[in-house]
Amino acid sequence: MVVVGIVLIVAVLAVGNIYLRLHTLPERMAHKSQKLQFEIVAVLGLLALFTHNHIFWVVGLILAMVDLPDFGTPLRRIAGSVEKMAGVPPEDDPTEMPSHGPAHATDAGVPDAAKSGAAKSEVKSHA
């Protein structure tokens, strides 16, 4: 009787482990992809788990298999080129590391008050 109980517990745990590994298959496949794609697949997996609608799991699996193209990088480069042609200084890219060095070699060692005074005098001379 004790052996049957132990075998039953081990069988239930083994089947549960296999089920959860199969259930997380789309998430493990999408882990190497883009962050947005991974998050969508993870949400679809949770919806499939809690609603017991298998279509969410199937859609997540298909989405994990498809490699979505990267539209962000080319669009960001186009926007930067257009800003450069328009003469607008480009905004700092939040994905790049900020540079901690001085902007110009001539500004090194000059106090901030002197820099702001020089900038004000340049503005007045151009007006």
Side-chain angles (χ1 to χ4, degrees):
M1 191 71 160
V2 174
V3 174
V4 173
I6 292 173
V7 169
L8 183 64
I9 290 172
V10 169
V12 167
L13 290 176
V15 169
N17 193 10
I18 291 170
Y19 173 76
L20 288 176
R21 282 192 181 272
L22 181 65
H23 183 75
T24 60
L25 179 67
E27 288 180 55
R28 287 187 279 135
M29 290 173 63
H31 187 69
K32 298 175 218 145
S33 65
Q34 300 172 8
K35 183 179 185 227
L36 179 65
Q37 184 179 3
F38 174 72
E39 289 178 356
I40 292 171
V41 170
V43 167
L44 287 170
L46 283 174
L47 283 172
L49 181 67
F50 291 125
T51 62
H52 300 292
N53 289 333
H54 302 298
I55 190 70
F56 292 126
W57 187 85
V58 172
V59 170
L61 183 65
I62 291 171
L63 184 61
M65 288 183 189
V66 174
D67 188 25
L68 296 178
D70 181 24
F71 292 114
T73 302
L75 290 175
R76 207 172 304 118
R77 292 182 67 195
I78 290 170
S81 298
V82 170
E83 285 178 348
K84 186 187 289 185
M85 289 189 318
V88 177
E91 296 179 8
D92 293 334
D93 190 5
T95 60
E96 293 182 9
M97 296 290 294
S99 61
H100 295 292
H104 300 287
T106 58
D107 289 346
V110 178
D112 288 335
K115 288 180 194 175
S116 63
K120 287 178 186 175
S121 63
E122 287 180 19
V123 172
K124 289 179 184 176
S125 64
H126 290 296

